[in-house]
Amino acid sequence: FSELHTINRCFIADCLQLEDFKAGDVIVRQGDDGSVFYVLETGKAMAKIKLPDGKVITVANYERGGYFGEIALLTEGKRMASV
């Protein structure tokens, strides 16, 4: 977000809502509709996808400042992974 002009950062900050999750919680689930974008303020998260053969693989790791959910939000599509 550092590339954004200060006014734009303030506008985005005004739209944010704080949500708390516990270790092991599923924040978004692969295949669900996506209408929310997440930014990690603290903690860590992993994105996992389930392959057609049933195998689950980790495709991304997120730490403070990391974000996810933007693809489904921007495309009005389904979640690509579970986080």
Side-chain angles (χ1 to χ4, degrees):
F1 295 105
S2 61
E3 305 86 29
L4 294 175
H5 190 274
T6 302
I7 293 172
N8 293 332
R9 280 197 308 265
C10 290
F11 175 76
I12 291 171
D14 286 343
C15 296
L16 298 177
Q17 295 179 3
L18 183 63
E19 289 189 49
D20 290 319
F21 297 96
K22 293 181 174 78
D25 283 354
V26 177
I27 300 169
V28 300
R29 198 169 301 280
Q30 181 179 350
D32 286 354
D33 291 331
S35 61
V36 179
F37 166 78
Y38 292 88
V39 179
L40 287 181
E41 184 178 29
T42 61
K44 297 179 180 182
M46 291 186 300
K48 297 182 178 190
I49 59 171
K50 186 174 185 178
L51 301 174
D53 66 2
K55 183 178 178 184
V56 176
I57 60 170
T58 300
V59 294
N61 290 291
Y62 304 102
E63 295 185 2
R64 183 176 187 252
Y67 58 89
F68 56 92
E70 74 282 5
I71 295 172
L73 179 64
L74 294 172
T75 65
E76 297 181 3
K78 303 287 184 186
R79 298 285 186 193
M80 303 292 291
S82 295
V83 181

